[in-house]
Amino acid sequence: MNIILNHNPEIIETNSDSITISELLKIKSFTYKQLIVKVNDVLVLNENYSTTSIKGGDNVMVIHLMTGG
Amino acid sequence: MPTFDKIKQIMQKHTVGIAGAGGLGSNVAMALTRVGIGKLIIADFDVVSESNLNRQFYFSDQIGRVKVETLKENLNRINPDVKIEIHNLKLDADNLLSTFANVDVMVEAFDKADCKQIIVEAFQISKPSTPLILGNGMAGWGKSNEMRVQQYGNLYICGDNVAEIGPEMPPMAPRVLICAAMQANTVMSILLQKKFGNEYNFEP
């Protein structure tokens, strides 16, 4: 499955037509606590990561927020 | 290209919210004041401490004073015409949107990652049309070229997205000011693009 992840083309190895955000975070080893996720420019809250799907062609942003400022 | 007088005329018509008056917030406010922003709304709950002076826009004779009141004085010494609305309070999910009810652009300048998360969720869900500019990753020194601006719709992220502060990775003026300057520069891009179109938007 081909998606855009943080402005870069990314191939996700899967037999399915879609994966959840939780699955994407696991595949890409995004293990930090403070994450911001947008799918096609819509913010997705943490509580919806396991129920929100990503399909081929989607534009996904995953940013790890860090302390400092 | 517009002259600086023309740029100031446009900046003067706009209001920018700044959440936090520390390393990022105080310096974003300083830069926007110098280019003639019309109004700033600034909120912070802290007082100036000695450890702030390695990067924040305060002076040693201001230690112990309320940050937002002190910052307002410092900014008005640069430009007495800038309107500065200050809120000496700890921002949270409940008071964030009402404090920054009428801003053209919102700048996130918090220290803690969990506070950054609160402002992203509040603005991107309740005010998705208001541009929000984050600072993310500016600790340490060097690596100037790893500082960048990334745009995801109305969410702009300034910083290297890597350098988290810690005991051996302190925040210091040069890199914090790069990040703050990127945030202020992004504010200018957004406001001038509204007037002049894409020709003047130099973000990626």
Side-chain angles (χ1 to χ4, degrees):
Chain A
M1 187 172 87
N2 295 291
I3 64 169
I4 303 293
L5 179 61
N6 294 346
H7 294 313
N8 294 312
E10 182 87 29
I11 299 167
I12 305 292
E13 301 290 341
T14 175
N15 296 322
S16 166
D17 290 339
S18 68
I19 59 171
T20 66
I21 291 175
S22 298
E23 288 167 333
L24 176 73
L25 298 181
K26 202 170 166 190
I27 291 166
K28 296 302 296 176
S29 303
F30 285 114
T31 55
Y32 294 103
K33 185 166 158 251
Q34 305 291 339
L35 292 176
I36 295 293
V37 176
K38 290 177 91 170
V39 177
N40 298 328
D41 204 29
V42 176
L43 186 78
V44 182
L45 294 176
N46 191 311
E47 64 222 48
N48 299 324
Y49 287 175
S50 59
T51 54
T52 303
S53 309
I54 296 166
K55 55 189 188 315
D58 277 351
N59 185 3
V60 183
M61 175 200 94
V62 181
I63 295 289
H64 161 217
L65 293 177
M66 61 200 61
T67 288
Chain B
M1 296 289 278
T3 62
F4 182 54
D5 281 344
K6 180 70 185 164
I7 290 167
K8 271 196 299 188
Q9 274 177 28
I10 295 157
M11 296 299 289
Q12 203 270 328
K13 295 189 174 91
H14 292 97
T15 299
V16 175
I18 303 177
L24 295 176
S26 66
N27 288 302
V28 169
M30 183 265 280
L32 292 176
T33 296
R34 290 193 190 280
V35 293
I37 193 74
K39 182 177 174 182
L40 296 172
I41 301 174
I42 307 171
D44 196 296
F45 67 96
D46 211 355
V47 296
V48 179
S49 67
E50 188 180 1
S51 65
N52 299 152
L53 297 183
N54 74 347
R55 65 194 187 283
Q56 304 186 16
F57 183 49
Y58 301 102
F59 302 93
S60 59
D61 59 356
Q62 296 174 329
I63 289 169
R65 295 190 50 202
V66 171
K67 276 189 178 174
V68 288
E69 293 171 3
T70 313
L71 183 56
K72 181 176 180 174
E73 274 179 28
N74 293 348
L75 297 172
N76 279 143
R77 285 180 66 187
I78 296 170
N79 182 345
D81 297 330
V82 177
K83 294 189 189 72
I84 300 167
E85 178 183 318
I86 54 173
H87 298 267
N88 182 20
L89 87 171
K90 189 161 173 53
L91 291 165
D92 56 34
D94 295 325
N95 62 24
L96 196 53
L97 291 170
S98 59
T99 302
F100 300 104
N102 292 304
V103 299
D104 297 300
V105 181
M106 187 65 212
V107 174
E108 176 280 320
F110 287 134
D111 181 30
K112 299 280 183 287
D114 54 346
C115 297
K116 292 175 191 276
Q117 182 123 25
I118 288 168
I119 193 169
V120 172
E121 291 179 356
F123 269 81
Q124 292 276 289
I125 287 172
S126 300
K127 291 188 162 191
S129 63
T130 302
L132 174 64
I133 306 172
L134 298 190
N136 199 43
M138 76 297 293
W141 68 96
K143 298 182 179 173
S144 300
N145 291 348
E146 292 180 22
M147 302 295 283
R148 60 190 186 279
V149 184
Q150 295 166 280
Q151 182 181 356
Y152 299 92
N154 242 342
L155 178 65
Y156 299 76
I157 301 169
C158 302
D160 65 11
N161 292 285
V162 175
E164 183 146 30
I165 66 163
E168 296 185 349
M169 192 60 113
M172 294 175 285
R175 234 163 171 264
V176 172
L177 266 67
I178 291 173
C179 191
M182 283 179 151
Q183 290 181 290
N185 204 22
T186 304
V187 170
M188 290 196 76
S189 287
I190 292 166
L191 297 181
L192 297 181
Q193 185 191 14
K194 269 173 49 178
K195 179 75 181 176
F196 297 112
N198 281 326
E199 190 185 342
Y200 294 95
N201 184 18
F202 41 88
E203 299 306 337

